[in-house]
Amino acid sequence: PVPTDRTKGIFVYSTLYNQIVVGPTAKDQSSRTDDEIERSVAKELAAHATRVFDRTMGSSIMQSDTDFDPTIVGEYVGIRPGTSKRDYQIQLHCHANFITVGGIRSTGLSASLGIGRHVVQSLLCSIVSRSEEESTSVQQASPTPLPDVESLVEQYHSRGDGTINVAGHDYRVTHPLTRMGWDARTGIASSGK
């Protein structure tokens, strides 16, 4: 990809579910709800993937690799939660016991652990300063271990409603790549099948 001041470029990568993903594009729009797939953009992305494969693996990849399936298994549009500012918007509102975490763009995935740590530290500072005034203590939270992917995929299929249950809480599987991989039972979702 070739980064610009507006975008990191178009990537071609494989998911954990053995699917090739091409994107994203950085197309501005004023609507916050329009998630229609534009055919011209889809064609542009398909052409980009073909160029990348031709350059890196040779044009015969589609004919010679019996495991290579060029079928498009899905398309999706993600509306980015951008703001007029370039940086993440993270603000602690101590008086209201509230924290705002917004404007997180594509880099939020790789930055999520750091963002989470910053949010927790901000909240702890707020709680500790108040608890010192009130002479109360902060209790340590224990993490909830995630079940293995195989059991989550089984649960996703057996429930049939697009949800899974983790530690007594129901969660809807919303990310398009995860849904496509779990529906197809490919890559890490194919364990035991």
Side-chain angles (χ1 to χ4, degrees):
V2 179
T4 67
D5 61 344
R6 258 180 35 71
T7 178
K8 303 284 185 271
I10 298 174
F11 293 85
V12 177
Y13 62 94
S14 176
T15 70
L16 295 171
Y17 307 107
N18 293 344
Q19 297 163 333
I20 302 296
V21 177
V22 184
T25 59
K27 188 169 180 172
D28 291 333
Q29 66 178 37
S30 58
S31 172
R32 293 178 183 256
T33 58
D34 180 11
D35 61 358
E36 289 295 314
I37 294 168
E38 292 185 27
R39 289 294 116 212
S40 61
V41 173
K43 285 180 182 177
E44 175 189 330
L45 291 173
H48 181 79
T50 300
R51 282 192 306 275
V52 168
F53 277 115
D54 285 351
R55 220 179 3 222
T56 59
M57 297 180 192
S59 60
S60 62
I61 182 72
M62 291 185 196
Q63 290 84 24
S64 65
D65 187 345
T66 57
D67 292 333
F68 185 80
D69 181 4
T71 305
I72 295 175
V73 296
E75 300 172 312
Y76 71 97
V77 173
I79 299 175
R80 296 178 183 191
T83 66
S84 60
K85 298 179 175 50
R86 290 183 57 88
D87 293 331
Y88 303 157
Q89 301 301 301
I90 303 174
Q91 298 171 346
L92 177 64
H93 310 277
C94 293
H95 61 283
N97 295 328
F98 191 79
I99 191 163
T100 301
V101 182
I104 310 298
R105 296 178 183 253
S106 299
T107 56
L109 178 60
S110 53
S112 62
L113 294 177
I115 293 168
R117 181 176 294 127
H118 177 75
V119 167
V120 168
Q121 288 173 343
S122 298
L123 289 171
L124 284 176
C125 288
S126 172
I127 292 168
V128 168
S129 67
R130 279 197 311 251
S131 69
E132 287 172 352
E133 295 169 8
E134 300 167 4
S135 299
T136 59
S137 64
V138 177
Q139 293 184 355
Q140 186 75 348
S142 59
T144 301
L146 275 178
D148 60 81
V149 174
E150 182 179 350
S151 64
L152 292 174
V153 172
E154 269 314 307
Q155 195 181 138
Y156 173 80
H157 281 274
S158 66
R159 292 181 87 160
D161 62 358
T163 65
I164 57 172
N165 185 286
V166 177
H169 298 281
D170 288 341
Y171 297 95
R172 180 161 304 284
V173 179
T174 58
H175 196 280
L177 295 177
T178 301
R179 282 197 321 258
M180 283 183 250
W182 287 13
D183 285 339
R185 293 184 187 251
T186 55
I188 65 168
S190 67
S191 299
K193 290 290 170 194

